[in-house]
Amino acid sequence: MPEGPELHLASLFVNRMCGGVVFTGPVQKSEVSKNPEVSFSCPAYTIIATSRGKEVRLTLTPQKSDSAQGRCRRGKKGQVNQVQTMDIVFRFGMSGFFRFTTEAELPKHSHLRFYTNEKPCRVLSFVDTRRFGSWQPNGTWQLNRGPCIMFEYLSYRENVLSHLSDRAFDRPICEVLLNQKYFNGIGNYLRAEILFRLNIPPFVKARTVLEGLQTHLSDEDRKSVVKVEVTDTEVKEEVTNTEVKEEVTDREISDRAAVKEDESETPDLLRLCHTVPLEVIKLGGKGYDPEKMDYTDFKSWLQCYCVEGMKSVRDHNGRTMWFKGDPGPMAPKDAKTKMIVKKEDDHDYKGGKKVKKARSESPMKPKYIKETEVPQRRAGRRK
């Protein structure tokens, strides 16, 4: 399931592929999708993507030449209005991602499509195989979602620690980490990796884990914080005047870290919720890549989630929680704990030839046939 890092990588992908590309015509929705129609049609417009936690926003902006004419179709058929920019906010669900292909190579599960103004035509598609994803025309960031764990660190930290009296923090820490009101961007694999690194049992009360953490950072720590909240104008200027980078460099990752960590200091839970997702972003296309389906580097990065020797159990919401050691006192009663054990199979991952196992020479078990007694006739007739 796409989490905060994957949605940010998706926004970088859109900006890299669509930077300087002009789109045209109406936005088309597939017939099978139950999401709303996007009533936007313009002779020439551009697309810019921005991410925040588990949401991605596409901004459709008519070109200046069209704006000068003051004409662009938007709304009901036949109605002509002034040029207006439209924001479409996406939530990826279980399997959503973006693809940029030729019209002939349109993905099978493409449910929202933006066509370029060129020949041959290319298409930016929102692809969603399982159809749990959604989009909202003229949308805004969801109000019930908290600040982004990756790029709004100070706001996110203060939002959590100033609401510890909320009943939500009576729940186990593993379940609270999926609450997007406080941890916008954390998902199933991130919560497993974060708790594993701190050796925190998943089923202990969240308030117990968090109440000892510092609410406000010191002045020295605040000096190390780099503001990463970018305005819409700055994003547009970056896309227009420079090439948008798909991968985040080491320098950018280190600059975006909210607090400089000493090697001797153990980072707290809230800090790891910020830095661990940035590690996935640093992997770039070598991490979660639904287009190439190559997860080799991402699997190598994982330390707990679906890793051999780790245990798993269903939490109170039915989500699988991966962990090591004791699950904690708040684990669901009668929960069945599973452990991944390495299976011996015929695969040779070192590149050698596969050797076919010879069949054992053990003799086959004899087949036993049930005998039925045939009644015999008695000699002579009954008088």
Side-chain angles (χ1 to χ4, degrees):
M1 179 178 178
E3 302 183 17
E6 289 72 54
L7 272 78
H8 183 68
L9 289 172
S11 69
L12 294 178
F13 169 80
V14 170
N15 287 338
R16 183 176 70 85
M17 301 304 294
C18 300
V21 177
V22 177
F23 292 80
T24 188
V27 179
Q28 296 186 8
K29 183 179 77 75
S30 68
E31 295 180 357
V32 296
S33 175
K34 295 181 180 180
N35 281 299
E37 295 281 352
V38 178
S39 301
F40 182 93
S41 181
C42 191
Y45 65 94
T46 57
I47 297 178
I48 295 174
T50 313
S51 71
R52 182 178 184 265
K54 282 193 175 183
E55 296 178 298
V56 171
R57 180 181 64 201
L58 295 190
T59 301
L60 315 184
T61 306
Q63 280 196 318
K64 292 182 179 179
S65 58
D66 296 326
S67 178
Q69 297 175 4
R71 292 289 185 178
C72 185
R73 288 189 178 181
R74 182 177 178 279
K76 298 179 179 179
K77 293 183 178 180
Q79 183 178 355
V80 180
N81 298 328
Q82 289 282 336
V83 174
Q84 294 184 27
T85 298
M86 175 181 280
D87 289 333
I88 308 173
V89 177
F90 290 82
R91 297 166 194 102
F92 283 20
M94 296 290 290
S95 59
F97 63 96
F98 287 107
R99 292 270 321 256
F100 194 57
T101 64
T102 63
E103 191 173 10
E105 299 173 332
L106 200 65
K108 179 180 179 181
H109 299 283
S110 171
H111 295 300
L112 197 66
R113 300 181 283 270
F114 308 83
Y115 292 83
T116 63
N117 187 14
E118 57 188 357
K119 292 183 180 181
C121 178
R122 292 183 292 172
V123 187
L124 175 68
S125 303
F126 177 66
V127 184
D128 187 9
T129 305
R130 302 185 68 178
R131 282 189 265 169
F132 288 124
S134 64
W135 60 79
Q136 180 185 3
N138 295 311
T140 57
W141 305 127
Q142 277 188 333
L143 297 177
N144 59 350
R145 291 179 182 267
C148 177
I149 53 162
M150 298 173 289
F151 304 118
E152 298 172 315
Y153 176 70
L154 290 180
S155 300
Y156 136 72
R157 185 182 181 92
E158 292 177 2
N159 181 51
V160 172
L161 295 180
S162 61
H163 289 87
L164 288 182
S165 59
D166 192 330
R167 291 178 59 186
F169 293 95
D170 291 334
R171 301 182 66 85
I173 184 62
C174 67
E175 297 175 9
V176 174
L177 285 176
L178 296 185
N179 188 336
Q180 300 302 295
K181 181 179 179 180
Y182 299 108
F183 296 91
N184 186 10
I186 296 293
N188 215 27
Y189 81 78
L190 283 175
R191 69 169 178 172
E193 296 298 315
I194 292 165
L195 294 176
F196 170 78
R197 294 190 187 190
L198 293 174
N199 198 26
I200 297 176
F203 293 96
V204 295
K205 185 179 289 189
R207 188 179 293 106
T208 304
V209 176
L210 298 169
E211 62 186 357
L213 302 184
Q214 187 178 3
T215 306
H216 300 288
L217 300 180
S218 64
D219 293 337
E220 184 178 352
D221 285 337
R222 282 184 176 275
K223 290 179 182 178
S224 67
V225 176
V226 178
K227 185 178 180 181
V228 294
E229 299 177 17
V230 184
T231 64
D232 293 343
T233 304
E234 290 171 334
V235 170
K236 293 173 186 177
E237 288 177 354
E238 180 185 359
V239 174
T240 304
N241 301 329
T242 62
E243 294 182 359
V244 180
K245 297 178 182 179
E246 182 178 12
E247 296 185 8
V248 179
T249 63
D250 293 350
R251 174 66 179 172
E252 288 170 326
I253 289 295
S254 61
D255 284 348
R256 286 175 177 176
V259 180
K260 292 181 179 179
E261 299 177 15
D262 296 327
E263 293 182 0
S264 59
E265 180 187 0
T266 302
D268 64 38
L269 176 67
L270 296 181
R271 190 180 301 177
L272 274 190
C273 287
H274 166 69
T275 58
V276 171
L278 293 180
E279 293 179 15
V280 182
I281 294 175
K282 186 177 177 180
L283 292 175
K286 297 179 181 179
Y288 180 89
D289 191 350
E291 186 171 2
K292 295 181 180 179
M293 297 296 180
D294 182 6
Y295 306 131
T296 306
D297 290 343
F298 179 70
K299 288 180 179 179
S300 300
W301 174 85
L302 292 171
Q303 299 178 33
C304 178
Y305 184 77
C306 292
V307 172
E308 176 190 344
M310 297 298 162
K311 301 176 183 178
S312 69
V313 67
R314 298 272 185 179
D315 64 18
H316 295 91
N317 298 317
R319 301 288 300 276
T320 302
M321 177 66 214
W322 295 89
F323 65 98
K324 182 179 182 180
D326 181 26
M330 299 182 71
K333 295 181 180 179
D334 302 326
K336 296 181 180 179
T337 303
K338 299 179 182 179
M339 178 181 289
I340 291 185
V341 181
K342 186 176 181 180
K343 295 181 180 180
E344 294 183 1
D345 52 26
D346 295 336
H347 295 289
D348 184 359
Y349 296 105
K350 296 181 180 179
K353 292 183 178 180
K354 188 192 293 184
V355 179
K356 193 172 183 179
K357 292 183 180 179
R359 288 187 176 181
S360 60
E361 299 296 331
S362 58
M364 295 181 64
K365 293 182 180 180
K367 293 182 179 179
Y368 294 97
I369 303 174
K370 186 177 181 181
E371 296 181 357
T372 56
E373 295 182 358
V374 179
Q376 297 179 356
R377 290 185 180 181
R378 294 181 181 180
R381 290 185 179 181
R382 194 173 184 178
K383 292 182 179 179

